[in-house]
């Protein structure tokens, strides 16, 4: 498909699966609809099904349904059925095909085993924003002074600067405004004290 130049007539790269299956070539959907008088290949018509089964399985499905009230499992089953009319009484084709498909799927999983990994996602410990404005931006309130605090956009979490744990504080409160956090400045690690003062200079707490 990467090197497929497109439909010979219009250059479109939209592929019609039914035409590819029957004629072993790639054709765009628009040209196929024109060719078939507006019929889409999304669902096969009865005529198309008859042609397909006649060509690939060698059976007339109308006559087959009238005679047996069912269809073969696959082309191999149809071949056996044509040779032996009693095949239906001991047909194991469906079970065999199910086993083959299961084996194919199992082998495919084994081949892709390296890509199938357990989820390593870590749950975020960030406090969530319980409220949202009309633009769907999250917000919450300071747990000390009840000042409104904007969240981290539409992510549903508070900003790091409003999380006491971000500042190395081990306190019950999970969300505090800048003024209330300033009361804990002496309890912060030296590195966090410097960063907090930088935030004050930059006006992050306004």
């Amino acid at each position: 498909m990467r090197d497929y130049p497109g439909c010979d007539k219009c250059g479109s790269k939209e592929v019609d699966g039914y035409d590819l299956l029957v004629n072993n070539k790639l054709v765009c959907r628009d040209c196929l609809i024109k060719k078939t008088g507006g019929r889409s290949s999304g669902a096969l018509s009865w005529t198309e099904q008859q042609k397909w089964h006649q060509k690939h399985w060698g059976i007339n499905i109308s006559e087959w349904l009238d005679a047996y009230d069912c269809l073969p499992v696959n082309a191999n089953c149809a071949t056996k059925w044509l040779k032996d009319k009693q095949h239906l009484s001991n047909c194991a084709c469906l079970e065999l095909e199910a086993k083959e498909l299961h084996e194919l799927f199992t082998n495919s999983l084994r081949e892709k085993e390296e890509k199938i990994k357990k989820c390593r996602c870590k749950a975020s410990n960030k406090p969530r924003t319980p409220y949202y404005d009309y633009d769907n931006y999250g917000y919450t309130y300071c747990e000390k002074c009840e000042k409104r605090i904007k969240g981290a956009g539409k992510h549903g979490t508070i900003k790091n600067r409003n999380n006491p744990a971000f500042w190395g504080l081990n306190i019950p409160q999970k969300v505090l405004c800048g003024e209330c956090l300033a009361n804990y400045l002496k309890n912060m690690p030296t590195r966090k004290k410097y960063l907090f003062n930088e935030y004050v200079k930059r006006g992050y707490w306004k």
Side-chain angles (χ1 to χ4, degrees), residues 9-173:
K9 295 183 179 180
C10 67
S12 172
K13 291 191 176 184
E14 188 173 353
V15 177
D16 181 84
Y18 178 73
D19 198 80
L20 171 62
L21 177 66
V22 175
N23 299 316
N24 194 25
K25 67 177 184 178
L26 298 176
V27 131
C28 83
R29 180 185 173 90
D30 294 336
C31 288
L32 181 77
I33 290 176
K34 292 176 183 176
K35 183 177 69 176
T36 56
R39 286 184 289 106
S40 167
S41 66
L44 297 184
S45 68
W46 180 253
T47 303
E48 288 170 335
Q49 291 186 54
Q50 286 181 316
K51 289 180 180 178
W52 191 91
H53 282 87
Q54 186 69 52
K55 181 174 182 178
H56 295 277
W57 289 14
I59 65 172
N60 184 305
I61 56 177
S62 296
E63 296 176 359
W64 203 279
L65 289 172
D66 289 339
Y68 303 105
D69 199 29
C70 62
L71 288 174
V73 175
N74 49 37
N76 187 41
C77 180
T79 302
K80 292 179 180 179
W81 210 336
L82 288 169
K83 293 179 180 179
D84 179 11
K85 300 303 180 183
Q86 302 302 318
H87 174 71
L88 180 60
S89 60
N90 58 355
C91 177
C93 296
L94 183 59
E95 181 181 358
L96 181 62
E97 179 159 304
K99 288 180 179 179
E100 291 176 352
L101 290 174
H102 179 268
E103 185 178 356
L104 179 65
F105 179 72
T106 304
N107 291 337
S108 177
L109 287 180
R110 288 191 187 127
E111 291 174 3
K112 306 294 183 181
E113 189 173 4
E114 296 181 0
K115 297 182 180 180
I116 302 175
K117 299 178 181 178
K118 292 183 179 179
C119 177
R120 297 182 179 178
C121 299
K122 295 182 179 179
S124 174
N125 295 321
K126 278 188 175 184
R128 309 293 298 179
T129 51
Y131 311 105
Y132 294 86
D133 59 19
Y134 56 89
D135 288 325
N136 204 33
Y137 284 92
Y139 68 93
T140 186
Y141 294 94
C142 175
E143 294 181 19
K144 284 281 190 180
C145 67
E146 298 186 356
K147 179 180 179 181
R148 178 166 169 164
I149 298 174
K150 294 180 179 179
K154 298 181 180 180
H155 298 292
T157 60
I158 67 164
K159 297 176 182 177
N160 285 335
R161 72 184 75 160
N162 296 112
N163 186 355
F166 175 76
W167 301 104
L169 300 174
N170 186 16
I171 57 177
Q173 291 77 19

Side-chain angles (χ1 to χ4, degrees), residues 172-192:
Q173 291 77 19
K174 302 299 181 183
V175 183
L176 293 176
C177 66
E179 293 179 4
C180 293
L181 279 169
N183 296 328
Y184 295 93
L185 187 60
K186 61 181 180 180
N187 298 328
M188 296 180 188
T190 303
R191 179 171 55 87
K192 292 296 184 178

